[in-house]
Amino acid sequence: MPIADTLTRRAFLRDTLAAAMVVGSRAAIQRAAAAQPAGDAGHTPWYRRAYLWGQTNITENDPVRYDIEWWRRYWARTRVQAVIINAGGIVAYYPSRFPLHHRAEFLNGRDLFGELTKAAHDDGIFVMARMDSNRAAEDFFQAHPDWFARDADGKPYRAADKYIACINSPYYDEYLPDVLREIIERSRPDGFTDNSWAGQGRGSICYCANCSARFRQKTGAALPRKADWDDAVYREWIMWSYARRIELWELNNRVTRAAGGPDCIWSGMNSGSTTAQARSFRDLKEIAKRAEIMMLDHQRRDDDTGFQQNGDTGKRVHALLGWDKLAPESMAMYQSGPGYYRVASKPAAEARMWMIAGIAGGIQPWWHHVGAYHEDRRSYRTAEPVMAWWKANESYLIHRTPVATVGLVWSQRNTDFFGRDNPGELVDAPYTGFMHALIRARIPYLPIHVDDIDAQGANLGLLILPNVGALSDSQADSIRRFAGRGGSIFATGQTSAYNEWGDPRTDFALADLFGAHHVGDVPRLRAGRRRDSDGDSGGAFAPSPSGHTYLRLSPELRANVNGPRAGDEPTPEGARHPVLNGFEETDILPFGGTLAPLRVEPTATVPLTFVPPFPTYPPETSWMRTPKTDIAGLVLSERGRSRLAYMPADIDRRYAREHLPDHARLLANIVRWALGDNLPLTVEGAGLVDCHLYEQPGRMVLHLVNLTSEATWRAPVDELIRVGPFKLTVRLPPRQPARRARLLVAGTDRPIALAGGRGTVEIASILDHEVIVIE
Ligand SMILES: [Zn+2]
């Protein structure tokens, strides 16, 4: 059956159905039947129905060895509904009419992209054509030297033997759209994605004639001479660069939809890391407003953030995108770190857990192999069982609403203008510390963008602001409105000490909620590059890696005390604040950071005070020089129903860095105090388990992901270790009597005990994960 540009979609579907019936593949018939053409009544576009994905990332020598029939069987085994096929960009996998469009070295005139697209369509599988489009070879550069990025001296930016195309040049405005149209005319893919669509990143300013002219036209200024976060022109360049990527997103969609029909979308790939998004000017919030589907290129865990970061990514992306849209994610089946082996199989347990953690956060799995032929055949066994399980339980894994009472606030502008050259320390680590502490305590949370607090905060009882230094006045107002409605706040570090550009304020914008004020000037953020060697974290209050400091646990001290008072020591048992529960046997906690003095409102409570650094070595010198201060490490207050916690101590960052259980307990205690009893879920039983709770009409769906392993904090995991038993208690929606709990992994039912609007279920054990449906 020829797939030509004259063939209508309807005819294609008719033929596909017929072909499917001939081969008798029930799955193919279902897929083909589901692929209803645009314009039909009740039309659900393909990109809302393609749940399981696959990608064989074609290498230049694959045209002589690509066994299409073998891969079709693999598509069927893994139940994929959509595949990503390399089309063009840096390398073309079809005989392009553009002479400078570099053909794969071994293509030899073959239309591999077209053949694969036809095979997929024949099998009822949707096709996203993959572009990888930000650089070109020497001949292209010589033909269009004005299309390529230049440094301040006018020299072209290069990557190995290739030249980097300028994002503001006709390469993006004219050439790539022509390539997209050619691919659509030839092979009719269902949509497009692009690996490196956002072009050159923040680290390299382009000074080519296109950029100079466009920037001057937009701002009236010359391009910034260097990265300087305090320079208004550099800030404009940052925002101008973001805007250009959004412009290209819209341009590419206009092009592909005009040529390929309204469902022929273009959706460039995005990262699960906000810092990576910021480095490449991909504004996740603005993109999510425009994306019909979020294509995530986020292939593996980091040791610091663990599998759970993928669950976080799923929830963070869906909070922006909506839970009705899909967010498939490329998941490496090859060893992708530590150690990078493109054609060796990733240990199955490692690849499987990354998939499962993402699925728990609402991500759709997408296997990714590099090359079409592998001598390590083990990688072909990893995805199949996960995807077969997904397919069998599809109805529980889509169209659902997350349930949580804690919102973890983030914003990409904070990563840009507060994080500056050190977002890892200033932004990511505090966020990660909370992520880990909440998961360790099994407290469900949702990432929430700071600009969505008014729209999405209604069901939340607590907002956590992990060192969100840069906040605009209107963002601070929305947080204040949340507290005004009775919501609780837990903020740390330099939250709200800077405006949206990272310029210091005279005091915290949220000082009224904190019950505490800066003493003296808020320091300027450092504009310079991070120096790893000295632990510079880009501003004052920087914790020194050797900061040998502590926090002292106080009885309910009132602020403004001028030294010890009666009853201050020894600590009477039971007199302490509930946020110190579990620390009955100690009067100090390790801290490791530093903090600045505050002026604390007299109505606030200070349960922790700072113990300044003293030597660690030699041991004879290791005694506290100043055992007590009135420097607050934590400030608590209550206003109406709101409970307000401000913690100047960077316990969140410390926990991300050092994993001390005391820090996790302290963070969790404060969260529980701030929430009152407003927790939708409790899980009892030993182990590190990531819990994700969802609601569907008439039922609750709870994912428990077992992160307990011999390699919890160091990839790769080889052996999965069973944990259990667990006792789960879930708050049930009113007027929905639960009758049974179904375990989607164990495949059994469990009884539910109902009491006080909650259902309790006991489960024996979990190996990799369990999904409990209460209905
Ligand atoms: Zn340029």
Side-chain angles (χ1 to χ4, degrees), residues 466-548:
N467 202 35
V468 184
L471 284 177
S472 68
D473 290 346
S474 70
Q475 289 166 342
D477 285 343
S478 73
I479 294 162
R480 210 172 275 112
R481 280 192 294 276
F482 178 85
R485 294 191 294 268
S488 294
I489 305 290
F490 180 7
T492 67
Q494 293 304 296
T495 293
S496 82
Y498 299 82
N499 70 11
E500 63 269 41
W501 298 108
D503 291 327
R505 297 174 177 275
T506 53
D507 193 1
F508 303 111
L510 297 173
D512 55 328
L513 296 184
F514 294 174
H517 304 268
H518 245 284
V519 174
D521 291 339
V522 175
R524 295 195 72 79
L525 292 164
R526 279 183 211 166
R529 293 276 164 188
R530 175 185 179 190
R531 287 166 294 157
D532 284 309
S533 56
D534 63 4
D536 178 1
S537 62
F541 315 109
S544 144
S546 60
H548 186 224

Side-chain angles (χ1 to χ4, degrees), residues 75-99:
W75 294 342
R77 276 204 286 127
T78 53
R79 279 80 166 169
V80 296
Q81 296 159 303
V83 289
I84 290 136
I85 303 176
N86 305 55
I90 299 172
V91 177
Y93 287 97
Y94 66 95
S96 171
R97 73 168 180 266
F98 300 101

Side-chain angles (χ1 to χ4, degrees), residues 148-150 166-169 206-212:
F148 290 84
R150 307 269 178 172
C166 170
I167 196 92
N168 282 302
S169 75
C206 178
Y207 294 93
C208 80
N210 300 299
C211 286
S212 300

